[in-house]
């Protein structure tokens, strides 16, 4: 019930979220010999090299064969290991959806899907690799927990939390360096939203890389004398319905933002709660129903409208609709 | 256990298969009948298991994965008759609220089942994961996996074959149910598997062949397979079977891949398969 209130965030550095995963993987592996890791030829991209070096026997290089990798992980989990399976989000969801469905989710195996390079911020490699539908795919699967942490420290903590939870978990993180502003010692609880700013005029729900942009929007709005509440939904499933409803009954309008297509992700998850329990105006700052393209992450965020300015504009618009 | 005793059990398994599928009005008799001799021999002669105390992690025992999950009727019958659960439960096959799902799933907590199969091409990878887990735990027991031949058309199978050969997963025995038929017809016509023996050799497996409807040959070949584990190569057996074996009008007819017999056909089939043990 209680949302953690973290009012102070001081950015000392920019770091990639995937390194938060890699660091946590190594730390938990040192404490728990059941942790094993699998990768399909992307070890350094996933920041799994330190694990592979320190625990060569517990690291399985599968080669470029993601379907086989999911099956092997399910077999290891059957025997009591906790496999972390690493690849790009694109190759760890759509490419192997049926494998995940059958031998992980339906079979209720304790497999952790560590998906890097999610979203448009993957950048120059282009739309072939920029999956924007992965949350929708994973969220639709029964038994699957879906985490989308917002910075290095939160990804570190999400990885540890995933290892301590029994069951399938999808952890989504990214490639670029982004502000690292949450507390390394935060109390990360799966399924519990985090309120970064309290406000009364509008609630901004944000996940992943969009959380920092939501905080920048909060500052823009503050200058306009608009009091925005900023809530970080790091767990998209199971979603923190209580915290969401507690906030919206106060602010009575909503902006949802995510680095994902507008269909099937956080926008839909929150819409579902609103129309069922508390129908109020909502606006969405997410990827439209289209593919991305090559470019630098910031250029892509700008071109596809995933910016703090767009979030602030959406907030002003939705307040008028109250 | 003698050959005659094994034959007696496998005939009852065939009878169970016909009765279960007829009772459900749905299921896959062809492959189930074809593999009854092998599954019986595996579970009653070779596998070192603890049916009365089923543990998911399979530590300290042999583990079997049925990758071609559609022949669940035969597997469930063998599991029940080996003591994993009551033979009475076979009557619930494919019915509402049953643990005996159309395709096997651990979601129903049915003892003996460790992974959901039936979406083809995935069981070999899972078996490799179990075999690797046994190596990590220094557990000197074996992992077995049964694959359909049509299933070998799935790309994931070849990912897994390549991996197991390359990584020397030598505590693993795979068996291919080579009956030459699949839903749409002859495997050679749908999409020929070509020279399987040569392909498996090329993927660095130790390859054997046997007649899966001759229990003596199964016993002999399985002994050779087991002797050849732990020698740096995974072992695979190309097991020639006849789809529908034991029921004359079902034999070698792909129509019986996934069609239940009607009442008259059921009676004719059961006349050919007199009970050798108590019926469920």
């Amino acid at each position: 019930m209680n949302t953690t209130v973290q009012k102070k965030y001081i950015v000392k550095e920019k770091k990639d979220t995937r390194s938060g995963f890699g660091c946590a993987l190594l730390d938990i592996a040192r404490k728990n010999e059941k942790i094993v890791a699998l990768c399909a030829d992307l070890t350094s991209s996933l920041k799994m090299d330190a694990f592979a070096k320190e625990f060569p026997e517990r690291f399985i290089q599968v080669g470029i064969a993601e379907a086989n990798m999911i099956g092997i992980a399910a077999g290891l989990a059957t025997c009591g290991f906790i496999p972390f399976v690493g690849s790009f989000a694109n190759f760890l969801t759509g490419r192997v959806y049926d494998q995940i469905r059958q031998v992980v989710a339906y079979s209720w195996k304790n497999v952790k899907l560590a998906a890097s390079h999610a979203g448009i911020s993957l950048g120059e490699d282009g739309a072939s690799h920029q999956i924007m539908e992965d949350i929708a795919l994973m969220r639709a699967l029964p038994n699957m927990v879906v985490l989308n942490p917002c910075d290095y420290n939160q990804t570190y903590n999400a990885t540890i939390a995933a290892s301590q939870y029994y069951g399938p978990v999808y952890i989504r993180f990214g490639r670029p360096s982004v502000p690292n502003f949450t507390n390394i010692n935060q109390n990360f609880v799966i399924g519990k939203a985090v309120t970064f700013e309290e406000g009364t005029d509008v609630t901004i729900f944000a996940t992943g890389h969009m959380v920092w942009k939501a905080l920048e929007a909060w500052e823009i709005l503050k200058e306009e004398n608009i009091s925005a509440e900023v809530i970080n939904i790091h767990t998209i499933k199971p979603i923190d319905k209580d915290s969401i409803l507690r906030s919206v009954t106060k602010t009575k309008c909503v902006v949802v933002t995510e680095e994902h297509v507008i269909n099937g992700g956080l926008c839909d998850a929150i819409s579902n709660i609103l129309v069922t329990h508390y129908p109020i105006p909502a606006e969405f700052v997410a990827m439209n129903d289209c593919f991305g393209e090559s470019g630098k992450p910031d250029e892509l965020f700008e071109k596809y409208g995933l910016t703090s300015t767009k979030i602030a504009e959406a907030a002003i618009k939705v307040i008028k609709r109250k | 256990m003698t050959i005659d005793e094994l034959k007696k059990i496998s005939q009852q398994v065939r009878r169970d298969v016909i009765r279960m599928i007829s009772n459900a009005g749905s299921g896959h008799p062809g492959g189930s009948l074809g593999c009854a001799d092998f599954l019986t021999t595996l579970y009653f002669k070779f596998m070192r298991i603890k049916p009365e105390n089923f543990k998911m992690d399979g530590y300290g025992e042999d583990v079997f994965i049925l990758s071609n999950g559609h022949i669940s009727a035969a597997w469930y019958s063998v599991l029940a008759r080996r003591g994993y659960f009551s033979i009475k439960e076979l009557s619930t096959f494919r019915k509402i609220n049953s643990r005996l799902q159309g395709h096997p799933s651990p979601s129903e907590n049915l003892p003996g089942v460790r992974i959901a199969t039936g979406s083809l091409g995935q069981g070999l990878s899972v078996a490799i994961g179990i075999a690797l887990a046994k190596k990590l735990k220094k557990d000197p027991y074996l992992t077995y996996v049964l694959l359909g031949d049509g299933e070998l058309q799935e790309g994931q199978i070849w990912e897994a074959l390549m991996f197991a050969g390359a990584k020397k997963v030598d505590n693993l025995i795979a068996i291919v149910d080579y009956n030459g038929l699949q839903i749409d017809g002859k495997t050679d016509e749908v999409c020929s598997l070509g020279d399987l023996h040569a392909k498996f050799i090329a993927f660095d497996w130790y390859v054997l062949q046997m007649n899966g409807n001759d229990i003596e040959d199964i016993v002999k070949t399985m002994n050779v397979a087991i002797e050849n584990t732990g020698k740096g190569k995974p072992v695979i057996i190309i097991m020639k079977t006849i789809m529908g074996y034991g029921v004359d009008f079902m034999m070698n007819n792909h129509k019986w891949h996934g069609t239940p017999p009607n009442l008259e056909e059921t009676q004719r089939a059961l006349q050919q398969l007199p009970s050798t043990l108590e019926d469920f």
Side-chain angles (χ1 to χ4, degrees):
Chain A
M1 290 294 288
N2 295 320
T3 301
T4 313
V5 179
Q6 295 179 326
K7 286 198 170 179
K8 296 294 173 191
Y9 34 86
I10 303 157
V11 180
K12 291 178 185 156
E13 58 190 345
K14 280 189 159 191
K15 280 174 124 174
D16 51 351
T17 49
R18 57 188 164 141
S19 289
F21 160 72
C23 185
L25 179 66
L26 185 61
D27 284 355
I28 54 181
R30 283 173 176 160
K31 291 176 192 157
N32 186 348
E33 60 184 20
K34 288 182 177 171
I35 304 284
V36 294
L38 300 88
C39 196
D41 199 33
L42 289 169
T43 312
S44 58
S45 293
L46 263 289
K47 303 295 178 188
M48 295 165 98
D49 359 27
F51 177 99
K53 193 176 170 199
E54 189 164 328
F55 302 104
E57 288 185 355
R58 284 153 61 186
F59 177 73
I60 298 163
Q61 170 61 268
V62 180
I64 308 168
E66 293 82 6
N68 188 39
M69 178 163 68
I70 299 293
I72 293 174
L76 286 158
T78 298
C79 298
F81 287 98
I82 306 172
F84 278 77
V85 181
S87 188
F88 288 174
N90 197 18
F91 311 130
L92 207 51
T93 55
R95 188 179 187 94
V96 287
Y97 190 76
D98 185 58
Q99 281 77 13
I100 293 171
R101 181 174 185 273
Q102 301 292 340
V103 303
V104 177
Y106 181 37
S107 295
W108 191 267
K109 295 300 177 191
N110 195 16
V111 173
K112 316 303 171 186
L113 303 165
S116 184
H117 294 54
I120 204 163
S121 59
L122 170 143
E124 292 84 347
D125 278 347
S128 63
H129 287 51
Q130 292 160 342
I131 193 161
M132 308 288 283
E133 320 92 71
D134 56 320
I135 292 174
L137 288 167
M138 290 299 112
R139 183 178 157 250
L141 276 175
N143 296 344
M144 185 64 71
V145 165
V146 180
L147 306 179
N148 187 28
C150 65
D151 70 353
Y152 175 99
N153 286 344
Q154 195 171 75
T155 307
Y156 179 92
N157 283 282
T159 304
I160 290 172
S163 75
Q164 292 167 347
Y165 164 87
Y166 185 91
V169 179
Y170 179 70
I171 319 169
R172 177 197 216 236
F173 41 88
R175 173 171 178 258
S177 289
V178 294
N180 185 27
F181 60 97
T182 65
N183 193 334
I184 188 65
N185 296 316
Q186 65 193 272
N187 179 28
F188 185 99
V189 181
I190 291 174
K192 291 292 171 204
V194 181
T195 303
F196 280 116
E197 289 297 336
E198 290 189 37
T200 51
D201 296 330
V202 58
T203 306
I204 304 171
F205 294 108
T207 190
H209 289 146
M210 297 309 289
V211 176
W212 180 252
K213 294 177 190 297
L215 289 168
E216 290 177 328
W218 170 82
E219 286 197 42
I220 296 170
L221 293 166
K222 196 177 169 195
E223 284 167 21
E224 306 276 330
N225 287 321
I226 293 170
S227 165
E229 183 145 297
V230 179
I231 296 184
N232 168 23
I233 308 287
H234 55 60
T235 306
I236 295 171
K237 186 182 170 187
I239 200 155
D240 189 352
K241 188 176 85 177
D242 291 343
S243 293
I244 291 166
L245 287 174
R246 194 163 52 243
S247 176
V248 301
T249 47
K250 177 175 65 177
T251 60
K252 297 189 167 49
C253 68
V254 166
V255 173
V256 187
T257 183
E258 61 182 323
E259 188 188 351
H260 185 270
V261 284
I262 202 159
N263 300 316
L266 183 64
C267 294
D268 277 5
I270 290 187
S271 297
N272 186 300
I273 291 170
L274 295 182
V275 297
T276 310
H277 299 280
Y278 198 72
I280 50 169
E283 293 285 333
F284 306 106
V285 179
M287 189 82 172
N288 283 320
D289 187 18
C290 66
F291 289 104
E293 61 179 289
S294 292
K296 291 187 168 46
D298 284 342
E299 294 169 340
L300 291 163
F301 278 132
E302 188 70 33
K303 177 165 179 177
Y304 290 90
L306 300 172
T307 62
S308 49
T309 311
K310 290 286 182 192
I311 298 169
E313 286 170 9
I316 291 164
K317 185 177 171 192
V318 82
I319 288 167
K320 287 179 185 158
R321 289 176 55 205
K322 273 205 256 191
Chain B
M1 184 162 278
T2 66
I3 302 290
D4 282 342
E5 285 170 317
L6 291 168
K7 281 183 180 168
K8 195 171 142 184
I9 299 166
S10 76
Q11 178 161 323
Q12 183 66 40
V13 168
R14 286 198 169 85
R15 190 174 164 86
D16 288 348
V17 163
I18 294 295
R19 294 182 71 236
M20 288 163 74
I21 293 172
S22 178
N23 189 35
S26 132
H28 297 76
S32 299
L33 294 170
C35 289
D37 294 321
F38 168 70
L39 289 172
T40 301
T41 308
L42 181 69
Y43 270 84
F44 284 84
K45 175 90 181 166
F46 288 101
M47 281 178 71
R48 298 158 294 179
I49 44 180
K50 301 163 192 161
E52 65 292 338
N53 184 25
F54 174 70
K55 290 221 172 75
M56 179 57 77
D57 69 9
Y59 183 77
E61 56 182 330
D62 294 333
V63 169
F64 172 74
I65 299 294
L66 181 74
S67 189
N68 51 335
H70 57 277
I71 70 160
S72 55
W75 191 31
Y76 293 149
S77 165
V78 168
L79 287 175
R81 297 209 172 265
R82 187 67 180 80
Y84 280 91
F85 52 88
S86 158
I87 60 166
K88 285 193 180 68
E89 199 167 346
L90 296 175
S91 66
T92 69
F93 177 61
R94 283 186 168 244
K95 292 190 170 170
I96 193 82
N97 299 326
S98 173
R99 299 197 294 178
L100 278 60
Q101 290 293 296
H103 294 84
S105 165
S107 60
E108 309 305 318
N109 296 317
L110 184 69
V113 178
R114 293 189 167 87
I115 198 84
T117 54
S119 176
L120 295 173
Q122 301 187 30
L124 181 56
S125 303
V126 175
I128 290 169
I130 291 169
L132 292 177
K134 288 194 176 295
K135 281 181 180 269
L136 278 169
K137 290 179 171 179
K138 306 200 184 321
D139 181 13
Y141 287 81
L142 295 173
T143 304
Y144 295 94
V145 56
L146 178 61
L147 309 163
D149 54 356
E151 179 176 17
L152 302 184
Q153 290 157 353
E154 291 279 6
Q156 186 181 343
I157 291 287
W158 300 91
E159 294 181 4
L161 286 166
M162 185 185 292
F163 178 94
K167 309 278 176 166
K168 304 184 182 355
V169 186
D170 60 2
N171 53 346
L172 172 69
I173 299 177
I175 301 96
V176 177
D177 176 20
Y178 195 57
N179 61 25
L181 297 175
Q182 57 190 110
I183 296 177
D184 276 358
K186 289 181 181 163
T187 302
D188 275 348
E189 291 169 6
V190 174
C191 184
S192 175
L193 302 173
D195 186 346
L196 270 189
H197 191 278
K199 285 176 180 174
F200 294 150
I201 294 271
F203 278 69
D204 228 5
W205 286 61
Y206 182 78
V207 190
L208 293 165
Q209 312 216 21
M210 71 183 177
N211 179 350
N213 297 127
D214 175 348
I215 290 180
E216 278 181 62
D217 195 37
I218 295 172
V219 170
K220 196 179 74 185
T221 313
M222 286 290 292
N223 276 320
V224 178
I226 292 165
E227 279 166 22
N228 278 283
T229 57
K231 294 186 177 174
K233 287 187 182 190
V235 178
I236 193 161
I237 307 172
I238 301 170
M239 177 174 78
K240 189 86 190 70
T241 67
I242 293 173
M243 187 187 268
Y245 190 80
V247 176
D248 57 7
F249 62 89
M250 289 186 175
M251 279 164 64
N252 272 325
N253 182 349
H254 71 90
K255 176 200 156 188
W256 294 103
H257 166 85
T259 310
N262 63 27
L263 268 182
E264 184 268 326
E265 289 162 339
T266 301
Q267 282 169 359
R268 270 204 290 152
L270 292 178
Q271 277 164 13
Q272 297 171 36
L273 299 167
S275 66
T276 55
L277 300 165
E278 188 193 351
D279 278 337
F280 65 81

